[in-house]
Amino acid sequence: MSATSVIGLQWGDEAKGKVVDILTGKSDIVVRYQGGANAGHTVVADGKKYKLSLIPSGVFRHNVQNVIASGVVIDPESLLNEINTLRNQDVAIDTNLLISDRAHLIFPWHKEKDRLLNSLAGRESIGTTMRGIGPCYSDKYGRSLAVRVGDMFRPNAKERLREIAKANADYLAKADPDKNYEELTSESFLTTYFDYAAQLKPFVADTTTYLLDAAEAGKKLLLEGAQGALLDVDHGTFPYVTSSNSSGVGVSSGSGVPACYITKVVGVLKAYATRVGGGPFPTEQDNETGQKIRDRGAEYGTVTKRPRRCGWFDAVAARYAARLSGVGALAVMLLDVLSTFDELNICIAYEINGQKTINFPSHADDLRAVKPIYETHRGWQGDLTGVRSFNNLPRNAQYYLNRISEIIARPIGLVSVGPDREQTININL
Ligand code: IMP
């Protein structure tokens, strides 16, 4: 029995897809267990580039089963687009994907509410991806207006969805009188969504039981986290977070695989820091340094194309995220992006209202008040993309990595020096 989880330790976009792709080769089942189509990554398989959002990256290997588990929120239209794009690219998706009957469905009203809530005045906007993620999870926890995948195949499904659509159309008409929401109460709307459900039906299964059976039978599971630990709804930089448990603590609740099976947790970090959307970001460099990182790292959102905010490596935040997620080994990504800087800063402590701390604060206002305490390191000049062993990295790069590992108190298992699978220094993952 063994399950490995891959968790982002920053604010998402840590290049987890590449780590998952590498580990997929050693797995029987790859599981996506939280979040929705707010996540996105590019996988290069057999020389071809594929864009994935909800579908686990194991779909490119014939002997790997892929599971979208119960904690995920599914926009059926977007999932079907993803499935059809993969079919057109000759990926054998029809035989190796399972979708949980317990996963919740995203409807157009969730996206409308996302838009309306984001523009509410009174504080900095969360800057969501507008994919309806938060409103769908709100309905899940509110229960009454929630629709799970399995609900679509029940005898009373049409009546129930009609009522829920009507309740949402009435709410939206009041909240946003300038827009017409009548379409949501039409028969064609219901027909469209039941048609989506029919197309997804061949993939739908009780994935919780499937994964429990697999874990008990000793199958190797790979649990693929979306977003990053600092966006965790309970433990991240609330309210500037996503609406699921995106740190390591969410693996079991989202997948249904008990923690006792998770024998290895890989924490994925960029060699610097980025954030998209609103919220405090202590090491942000809203200046030439940030722009240089953005240019060298092509730091623009996969889903929304927004320029990512860029900054120095924050070891306080990373240490917190690694502890919270139970990380055993670190994967440090995009190290090549930092070449050509004369000096590099690592934030080793925070000063908050005159007090020094190495603990990550629980309130966004305290995080906003942080004055980062930096340690400055010498940079390196050479191109790293051809380096394949730790000892062949420039001495300053080795020192930089060792320092990160020392502060976070976890060994480095992998260093990535370029986007391709081969541009990797695999130390011990
Ligand atoms: P939501 O998940 O769309 O509700 O967005 C909430 C916050 O999480 C926003 O700041 C988003 O930019 C951020 N976020 C959501 N998904 C991702 C992701 O995959 N990568 C990075 N940030 C994300």
Side-chain angles (χ1 to χ4, degrees):
M1 63 174 198
S2 77
T4 298
S5 62
V6 176
I7 308 292
L9 297 185
Q10 292 159 318
W11 282 282
D13 308 317
E14 298 91 350
K16 295 178 289 292
K18 176 169 168 175
V19 178
V20 169
D21 179 51
I22 290 169
L23 294 174
T24 296
K26 301 180 194 166
S27 313
D28 299 309
I29 303 170
V30 184
V31 186
R32 177 73 199 279
Y33 57 86
Q34 45 75 225
N38 46 353
H41 57 255
T42 307
V43 177
V44 183
D46 301 326
K48 281 200 230 160
K49 264 192 182 178
Y50 301 92
K51 288 210 178 305
L52 295 179
S53 189
L54 271 173
I55 296 179
S57 17
V59 282
F60 305 110
R61 310 204 192 221
H62 298 298
N63 49 351
V64 174
Q65 186 59 253
N66 297 275
V67 174
I68 298 177
S70 311
V72 174
V73 285
I74 296 176
D75 177 341
E77 186 183 5
S78 128
L79 177 56
L80 283 165
N81 281 337
E82 213 175 322
I83 290 174
N84 287 327
T85 307
L86 290 173
R87 275 185 185 138
N88 293 337
Q89 292 172 300
D90 292 328
V91 177
I93 182 92
D94 290 286
T95 51
N96 65 6
L97 177 68
L98 295 176
I99 300 171
S100 171
D101 56 358
R102 292 176 172 89
H104 283 247
L105 286 174
I106 296 182
F107 289 94
W109 48 82
H110 293 126
K111 290 186 212 166
E112 290 297 324
K113 286 182 184 171
D114 213 352
R115 181 178 61 80
L116 291 172
L117 290 169
N118 238 298
S119 58
L120 273 188
R123 69 167 178 224
E124 183 187 355
S125 141
I126 293 173
T128 75
T129 59
M130 302 285 174
R131 297 296 189 270
I133 306 296
C136 182
Y137 278 113
S138 297
D139 279 348
K140 165 172 163 169
Y141 287 99
R143 295 152 297 165
S144 311
L145 298 178
V147 182
R148 306 202 297 178
V149 170
D151 293 339
M152 295 297 278
F153 310 108
R154 294 280 146 185
N156 64 346
K158 215 165 198 174
E159 288 67 47
R160 186 157 178 271
L161 188 59
R162 190 180 282 118
E163 268 177 34
I164 290 175
K166 167 97 176 54
N168 277 289
D170 290 349
Y171 168 87
L172 287 167
K174 281 197 199 111
D176 184 14
D178 296 339
K179 219 172 153 182
N180 187 337
Y181 291 101
E182 270 172 25
E183 164 64 18
L184 298 178
T185 56
S186 69
E187 280 309 299
S188 70
F189 166 79
L190 291 179
T191 308
T192 303
Y193 274 77
F194 280 96
D195 178 51
Y196 291 154
Q199 291 183 60
L200 291 176
K201 196 167 183 201
F203 301 100
V204 175
D206 174 355
T207 62
T208 304
T209 301
Y210 173 82
L211 291 174
L212 288 171
D213 286 345
E216 285 165 11
K219 299 268 190 219
K220 293 200 178 74
L221 310 186
L222 182 62
L223 300 134
E224 173 179 7
Q227 291 86 43
L230 302 176
L231 288 172
D232 187 290
V233 66
D234 287 307
H235 307 283
T237 55
F238 191 87
Y240 306 98
V241 292
T242 190
S243 298
S244 60
N245 285 116
S246 50
S247 72
V249 303
V251 178
S252 290
S253 61
S255 64
V257 177
C260 60
Y261 290 108
I262 300 162
T263 46
K264 184 169 178 178
V265 182
V266 179
V268 188
L269 294 158
K270 276 177 186 165
Y272 47 92
T274 64
R275 175 162 206 173
V276 260
F281 178 9
T283 61
E284 179 169 17
Q285 298 300 301
D286 191 9
N287 53 27
E288 269 177 28
T289 301
Q291 189 57 45
K292 181 171 172 182
I293 296 175
R294 187 175 305 117
D295 290 342
R296 289 187 56 83
E299 291 293 356
Y300 295 87
T302 326
V303 174
T304 59
K305 314 282 177 243
R306 289 179 286 180
R308 295 181 184 139
R309 301 156 67 192
C310 298
W312 296 122
F313 188 85
D314 183 342
V316 176
R319 175 176 165 272
Y320 167 68
R323 296 172 73 199
L324 173 69
S325 299
V327 164
L330 302 172
V332 181
M333 316 303 284
L334 293 126
L335 184 68
D336 51 301
V337 172
L338 291 187
S339 293
T340 77
F341 282 85
D342 291 333
E343 289 187 331
L344 298 167
N345 286 330
I346 296 178
C347 172
I348 53 161
Y350 291 165
E351 188 191 307
I352 306 174
N353 304 324
Q355 298 285 319
K356 187 176 164 182
T357 180
I358 58 163
N359 289 324
F360 194 73
S362 52
H363 202 285
D365 290 348
D366 290 333
L367 195 61
R368 205 172 269 117
V370 160
K371 287 194 191 131
I373 299 174
Y374 288 117
E375 198 175 72
T376 301
H377 295 264
R378 279 196 218 108
W380 58 89
Q381 299 303 317
D383 173 18
L384 303 188
T385 54
V387 179
R388 296 290 176 270
S389 85
F390 191 87
N391 292 338
N392 286 342
L393 285 169
R395 281 229 351 251
N396 291 345
Q398 293 184 28
Y399 189 80
Y400 182 81
L401 290 170
N402 283 336
R403 187 67 184 122
I404 285 175
S405 165
E406 182 179 60
I407 301 171
I408 304 177
R410 263 83 186 165
I412 292 179
L414 179 147
V415 180
S416 175
V417 289
D420 293 345
R421 203 183 273 169
E422 310 81 63
Q423 291 172 321
T424 305
I425 301 171
N426 196 340
I427 300 160
N428 184 21
L429 254 207

